[in-house]
Each structure stands twice: as C-alpha cells, then as structure tokens.
C-alpha cells in the first residue's frame, strides 16, 4: 500500500501536463473565433445604426449555420485520435480527409440554399426595412466563406485528434488579425461599406482554410494517405456526425426556449438575460477547452487499447472540471459588481441580473463535470448516447421553462431551469460514464 501513492503521482502529473498542453491553446482558439464578429461590429458600427443592425441579423444567421455543423470538429477529433492511438497515422489523416470532403459538400449545399433565400431569411429574423438591405448584402457575400469555415472545423478536428492544439490557436489568431486589417482596408480604404466587411471576412476565412489544408496535405504526403474523396469514408463521417448534430440542435433549442421565455417576461428581464447569457457563453469556452483535451486524449487511449488509462484520465479531467468550475464560480461572485455595469446602467436590469447571476455561479462546478464528460464521451465516439441524452434533457427542460411565466416566476426562475438542464445532463452523462459502456477500444468504434 505504501508504494501505490508514489506511483499514482507521476501518472497524475502526466495527465495534468497533457490536459494543460491541449486545453490552454484550445481555449485561446475558442476565444479568438468570436472576435471575428466583434471586429466586424466595431468597424461597421461607425458606418451607421442601420448597417450595424443588418450585421447583427446576418451574423446571427451565419453563426447558427456554422455552429450547427460543429460536429465536423467533434466527430473528427475522436475518430482521428483513435487511429493515432492505434499507431496508424496514415489512416488517421485519411479519416480527417473524409471529414474535410464532407465539410466542402455541406458548405456548397449551404451556399445553394442561402443565396436565393437570403431576403426571406432576413425577413424571418425581423430585420427592419432600413437594416434588411445591409443584412442581405452581408449574408449573401459571407455565405461564400461558409465552406471555408466548415473546412476549418473539420481540419481543426484533425489536428486536435493528432494531439495538436497549437496550430489551431496560431491560425485563429492570424485569421482574426487578417480579418480586422482587411475590414478596415475594404470598408474605409476602398469605400465598400458593409460589403467590404463581408468580403474581408470571407478572405480571412479562406486564408485560414488554406493554411489548414497545407498542414493536412503535408501530413498526408508524409504518411502516404490518399487525398482523393472516398464515398464510403465521407458517408461514414456523416453517419458518425449525425448524432452529434441532433445533440447540438437540442442544446440550441434549450437556449432559444430560455431566451423566448425571458423575452415574455419583459424588456428588463430579456436585457438582463442577454447579459448573463454572454457571461455563460464565455464561461463555456473555458470549460470546453478541457472537453476538447478530453476528446483527443480519450480517443488516443481507446485507440491504443488502454481502457484503464482512459478511465484514469477521465477521473483526472473530472477533477479538473470541478476545480475549474469552483474557481470560475467564485470569480463570477467576486466580479459581479464590476461585470454587470459594463453592459448596463439601468438599476432595474441590474436588480434582475444579480440573483440570476448567482445561480450561474453556483452551477459552475456542475457545469465543469458536464463539459468534461461530454468531451470524454465524444472522444469515445459515443455520439448516439449523447443525442438521446440531450433529447431527454430538452424534454425535461421545455415544460418547466415554458410554465415559468404562468407561475409568476422571473429571470431567476429561467436560470433555475437552466440549472435543471445542466443537472439533467450531469446525471445522464455520469450514469453512462460509470457504466463503462463507452470504453470501446480499437482503431474504430
């Protein structure tokens, strides 16, 4: 017994080094991506209110379109990592190429839908008559960058699966800088207005995709992997990603329902809700970085036929998730007098936000567990379970949330429903993890 503890420490230190090495760059890349929209907003905002309103509507549609296909990154990470663990780098990169080809196909399909329907889509989002023309212009031009962004998602999954999160960080930062410079030059220097901002973003996105493709192609040539499209492989990538698409759509439905309920409570509540939701999203980036590390590490262990190692690193990542959640929760409580005034000076909005913000703070340790276990099961390729678990969560959350106005509940009740959602996810994910059914070893699941 006296020798067990000393042996355990090196393993814990090894896991910690791996988690930090993958999670920190992943967090940087995650934070850099939303800066694209922020840069566009800052530059277009000086053109006028109508232009900024048009950007807001169009960017919401574009963000939704891209986020729906985030499974391209999630599914590819675990699948590639398995083959890395099995020692077959050629097959790992070939798996990644299937995901990239699927991204190009989906991107072309999105363009085919968006170009002719852009005015209708903008109208559905309720854009005003003055903002709508700018929104349509931005949406149509920016749609040409969607295939590039989907390639970025898939290629990011390839590199994460290869245990490389530094390159995505460098590409994300480079893309942000290029986007900001191009926007200034094209919007003001060339006098193209909102169209210049859209073209600047498209060029930056295509540049990011090109860098990723150069990296992946070099790896393919080095390890003798084919670059040609493989129908069976593309179909397999789509089938693997379908359950994660269901999971993502269910999660977005939760967020949309929560926002709709908050809107029914009044202008004060929806304003406070938007503040809290922005903070919740930022906290999610921090947690998601650990989940990304989990996808890559778990996939590699299972591919190497080491379920014991996978269980050990899962336990350590859960500890990381809880510790990170406690730290973030304390930070939210301490910084709340400073955070809320950044967004509003309205005393009523502040009063509505404060108690709901405390609910968010209390939930952070639980959120840490949810994000980590979500990443673990994604890395294990357990997508079907994640889909069913999220559908169950949506079924539990929806009636509770929709009844809040009739019960006389306020914004705190809405975020209480969000806490219930996270608790449901925690239970379903913990039960699956404890069952051990996700510990399927081998180069493919």
């Amino acid at each position: 017994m006296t020798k067990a503890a000393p042996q355990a420490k090196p393993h814990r230190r090894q896991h910690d080094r791996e988690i930090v090495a993958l999670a920190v760059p992943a967090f940087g890349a995650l934070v850099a991506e939303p800066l694209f929209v922020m840069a566009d907003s800052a530059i277009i905002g000086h053109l006028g209110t109508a232009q900024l309103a048009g950007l807001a509507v169009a960017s919401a549609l574009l963000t939704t379109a891209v986020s729906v296909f985030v499974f391209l990154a999630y599914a590819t990470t675990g699948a590639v990592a398995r083959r890395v663990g099995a020692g077959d780098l050629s097959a790992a990169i070939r798996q990644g190429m299937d995901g990239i080809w699927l991204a190009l196909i989906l991107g072309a399909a999105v363009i085919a839908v968006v170009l002719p329907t852009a005015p209708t889509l903008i109208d559905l989002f309720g854009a005003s008559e003055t903002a709508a023309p700018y929104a349509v212009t931005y949406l149509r031009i920016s749609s040409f960058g969607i295939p590039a962004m989907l390639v970025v998602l898939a290629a990011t999954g390839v590199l994460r699966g290869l245990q490389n999160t530094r390159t995505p960080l460098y590409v994300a930062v480079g893309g942000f800088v290029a986007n900001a410079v191009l926007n200034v030059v094209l919007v003001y220097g060339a006098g193209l207005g909102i169209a210049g901002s859209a073209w600047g973003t498209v060029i930056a996105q295509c540049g990011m995709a090109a860098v990723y493709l150069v990296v992946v192609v070099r790896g393919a040539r080095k390890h003798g992997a084919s670059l040609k499209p493989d129908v069976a492989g593309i179909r397999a990538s789509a089938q693997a990603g379908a359950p994660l698409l269901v999971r993502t759509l269910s999660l977005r439905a939760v967020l949309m329902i929560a926002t709709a309920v908050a809107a029914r409570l009044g202008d004060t509540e929806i304003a406070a809700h938007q503040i809290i939701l922005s903070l919740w999203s930022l906290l999610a980036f921090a947690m998601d970085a650990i989940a990304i590390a989990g996808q890559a590490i778990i996939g590699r262990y299972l591919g190497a036929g080491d379920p014991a190692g996978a269980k050990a690193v899962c336990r350590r990542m859960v500890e990381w998730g809880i510790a990170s959640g406690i730290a973030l929760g304390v930070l939210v409580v301490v910084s709340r007098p400073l955070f809320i005034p950044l967004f509003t000076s309205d005393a009523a909005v502040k009063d509505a936000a404060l108690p709901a913000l405390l609910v968010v703070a209390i939930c952070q340790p639980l959120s840490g567990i949810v994000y980590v276990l979500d990443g673990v099961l994604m890395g294990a390729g357990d997508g079907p379970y994640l889909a069913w678990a999220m559908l169950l969560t949506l079924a539990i959350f929806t009636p509770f949330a929709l009844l809040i106005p009739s019960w006389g509940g306020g914004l705190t009740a809405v975020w209480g429903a969000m806490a219930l959602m996270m608790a449901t996810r925690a239970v379903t994910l913990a039960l699956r993890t404890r069952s051990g059914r996700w510990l399927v070893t081998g180069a493919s699941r």
Side-chain angles (χ1 to χ4, degrees), residues 1-10:
M1 293 294 291
T2 57
K3 293 182 179 180
Q7 289 177 351
K9 289 181 180 178

Side-chain angles (χ1 to χ4, degrees), residues 6 33 49 60 97 112 117 141 162 164 192 196 216 230 316 396 421:
E33 290 171 8
T49 302
M97 285 304 305
T117 63
I141 295 173
L162 294 170
N164 176 0
L192 296 178
V216 174
D230 177 69
R316 187 56 180 157
I396 292 173
M421 180 271 292

Side-chain angles (χ1 to χ4, degrees), residues 113-133:
V113 171
V114 170
L115 284 179
T117 63
T120 303
L121 293 172
I122 296 300
D123 286 342
L124 287 174
F125 267 63
S128 67
E129 290 184 3
T130 54

Side-chain angles (χ1 to χ4, degrees), residues 74-102:
Y74 291 159
T76 304
T77 297
V80 171
R82 275 184 176 271
R83 285 159 176 78
V84 170
D88 192 346
L89 289 178
S90 176
I93 296 174
R94 175 65 257 179
Q95 177 77 37
M97 285 304 305
D98 292 335
I100 290 172
W101 281 110
L102 176 61

Side-chain angles (χ1 to χ4, degrees), residues 2 117 146 149 161 163 200-201 207 234 247 271 317 331 333 386 430:
T2 57
T117 63
I146 289 178
M149 285 308 296
Q163 320 296 295
T201 300
I234 294 171
R247 167 210 169 268
M317 281 189 291
L331 183 61
V333 173
L386 290 172

